[in-house]
Amino acid sequence: MTDNTCQSESQVELYDIQATLFRKRPAPYVATYVLLRIDDPSDGRQMLKRLLPHVASAARWWDPSDSAWMSVALSHSGLRALGVRQASLDSFPEAFREGMAVRAERLGDTGESSPEHWDAPLNSGDVHLAVSAFAPDKATLEPLLAACRESLRGLLAVRVVYSLEAYQLPSRRTHLGFVDNIGVPDIEGAGAAAGLPGSGAPLKAGEFVLGYENQLGRLSPLPQPATLGRNGTYVALRKLHVKVAEFRRYLKENAASPEEEELLAAKMIGRWPSGAPLVLAPLHDDPGLAGDRTRVNNFTYRKQDDAGLCCPHGAHIRRMNPRDSLDDTIVDVDLHRLLHRGTTYGPMLPEGQLEDDGADRGIVFTFMGTDLARQFEFIKSQWANDGDFVGLGTEKDPLFGDSDGTGTFTVPQRPVRRRLKQLPRFVVTRAGAYLFMPGIRALTWIAERDT
Ligand code: HEM
């Protein structure tokens, strides 16, 4: 038996998978991302050894009392900096080996989103290790941050190169006023359901965790040795700056009343600010529907809104998860699902303010899955930055497509559809990295092995 043929029929080893892949974050929460550079492998391994007791596993991930945790992920250059051998480094897939900045063009990270404008050092090879910590409040977060600081004690060859605080408001609203993190796929064999009714049939564990069968009935290529690869996953980390004032001005210029502004924003997203889906609430927001877990995600497109009269074909959520829209094509939507988690950073722009105040604000996203090219990169390039798959030509995602003032957005309506023009780029990539989040045994293996 080769390393790649392990146990496709076995249960998911939750105790060996990092918690952040499965756990729901507390609501509200505070979070900190810390990025580090390692200039000496033995210092790096020493730091990892110290961090290990604080890295939470996904065992009993559904238990809400486990509400504070830390996770650790590594870039390809980070694995190298920790002394992982060349044969192992070469066994990782191309997208991860190259890193996000090298693949900027295909991700639409051009113009002001291109890596040369990213926050340093995320535009260089300096990010080796990323620690993220989540907790319900600052007091509960602090011991995790203290453990992170303590892990660096006396180790001169490991240093923090970047850190960012993020949070969720008690209202769960993000910068554009919308609730997010509603659509979450379920994972087969994970021990409990995470998704809401309507989230679709559970997906094979191998879509999100390495070492298990995926939707293609195969094991995704496992980095070698298997101890390193098994129970790991890839993470696309993105810091996305949101131009809130520009978004508000665009709505105002293209709507005749505040009610129409809200409708237009909802058409772009596919949900109302409360989270109520347009397919079920086409005319106005419905917080009661948004609060009903049996209904908030329980809808389809082709059967319920084929013409896009409720939710436009080009709306953000219809692109990101077309559900049954592509049922009569050769595209299998389930091959392109992601676990995504958005966290808010930067101050909120005061309500009603239409001028930018110069503050950096936006969302830090993590997208997790076992195949960066088939999942994250496919969605970003084919579904976000192209409209062909829904008959919209080159039209892009109205929210974060790389539109640069030339974008259009089609809103089907009777008697004639409306086409919005000159969409600017509302979302600018400020930083990004491809990371590998190893299983807990793999972290121990990295920390304890000799070079
Ligand atoms: C700053 C940029 C973005 C904002 C403000 C944003 C906002 C939202 C909102 C409000 C929702 C609806 C709530 C929900 O279903 O969770 C949503 C859903 C979603 N977004 Fe985004 N998003 C952004 C970027 C992205 C990117 C870059 C991707 C992937 C490449 C993405 C993928 C998704 C997915 C998969 C869903 C769930 C769709 C569903 O299952 O129905 N989003 N987003």
Side-chain angles (χ1 to χ4, degrees), residues 79-389:
L79 288 163
R80 186 190 303 279
L82 282 162
V84 170
R85 295 211 172 97
Q86 194 61 40
S88 283
L89 296 172
D90 291 345
S91 68
F92 282 87
E94 187 180 11
F96 176 68
R97 288 199 317 266
E98 288 190 345
M100 190 181 278
V102 170
R103 296 164 81 88
E105 197 93 356
R106 80 182 67 194
L107 294 173
D109 287 336
T110 53
E112 55 183 324
S113 282
S114 65
E116 76 229 47
H117 302 303
W118 288 4
D119 297 355
L122 281 108
N123 50 0
S124 70
D126 276 1
V127 174
H128 291 160
L129 189 144
V131 176
S132 60
F134 287 87
D137 50 53
K138 287 202 165 171
T140 328
L141 186 70
E142 180 45 35
L144 293 173
L145 299 182
C148 186
R149 286 192 296 271
E150 181 58 20
S151 74
L152 297 173
R153 191 176 31 88
L155 303 176
L156 299 178
V158 184
R159 60 197 161 90
V160 173
V161 289
Y162 190 86
S163 70
L164 187 66
E165 290 181 5
Y167 61 96
Q168 185 191 49
L169 290 175
S171 66
R172 293 178 56 218
R173 301 290 170 101
T174 53
H175 287 293
L176 299 179
F178 287 76
V179 164
D180 78 354
N181 294 308
I182 299 171
V184 184
D186 275 322
I187 303 175
E188 204 176 273
L196 297 158
S199 300
L203 300 176
K204 296 280 184 196
E207 289 296 300
F208 305 106
V209 194
L210 289 165
Y212 303 87
E213 188 180 297
N214 62 22
Q215 289 295 120
L216 295 163
R218 296 202 285 269
L219 297 170
S220 295
L222 198 62
Q224 298 296 309
T227 320
L228 172 62
R230 186 167 175 83
N231 292 324
T233 196
Y234 297 100
V235 179
L237 176 73
R238 309 271 283 172
K239 181 187 174 202
L240 302 176
H241 171 78
V242 180
K243 296 181 179 174
V244 180
E246 194 156 350
F247 185 72
R248 289 180 187 167
R249 285 200 303 274
Y250 187 84
L251 296 177
K252 203 167 257 317
E253 282 156 16
N254 287 281
S257 64
E259 293 71 33
E260 203 193 329
E261 283 173 42
E262 194 177 59
L263 176 64
L264 190 52
K267 291 275 184 193
M268 288 182 179
I269 304 272
R271 290 188 185 271
W272 293 94
S274 71
L278 284 183
V279 171
L280 302 182
L283 299 178
H284 47 77
D285 202 351
D286 184 347
L289 167 56
D292 179 349
R293 69 178 312 280
T294 64
R295 293 197 297 150
V296 66
N297 204 33
N298 210 349
F299 60 92
T300 56
Y301 294 119
R302 195 157 170 245
K303 289 195 200 78
Q304 287 173 266
D305 184 29
D306 200 22
L309 292 170
C310 304
C311 178
H313 303 106
H316 177 62
I317 68 162
R318 197 162 177 161
R319 284 171 175 269
M320 296 296 97
N321 177 11
R323 299 178 187 232
D324 61 341
S325 302
L326 307 180
D327 276 2
D328 59 354
T329 72
I330 55 162
V331 180
D332 181 351
V333 168
D334 285 346
L335 294 180
H336 310 291
R337 303 286 305 277
L338 303 163
L339 281 175
H340 75 295
R341 312 251 197 267
T343 55
T344 301
Y345 77 87
M348 292 283 152
L349 188 68
E351 206 155 320
Q353 188 167 319
L354 296 177
E355 287 311 313
D356 189 25
D357 59 0
D360 186 11
R361 58 171 60 84
I363 297 185
V364 177
F365 268 109
T366 49
F367 302 96
M368 294 173 279
T370 50
D371 193 330
L372 288 166
R374 169 162 68 76
Q375 295 170 318
F376 175 69
E377 292 189 344
F378 177 91
I379 292 183
K380 194 68 180 53
S381 59
Q382 304 300 307
W383 289 354
N385 278 333
D386 202 284
D388 254 359
F389 78 110

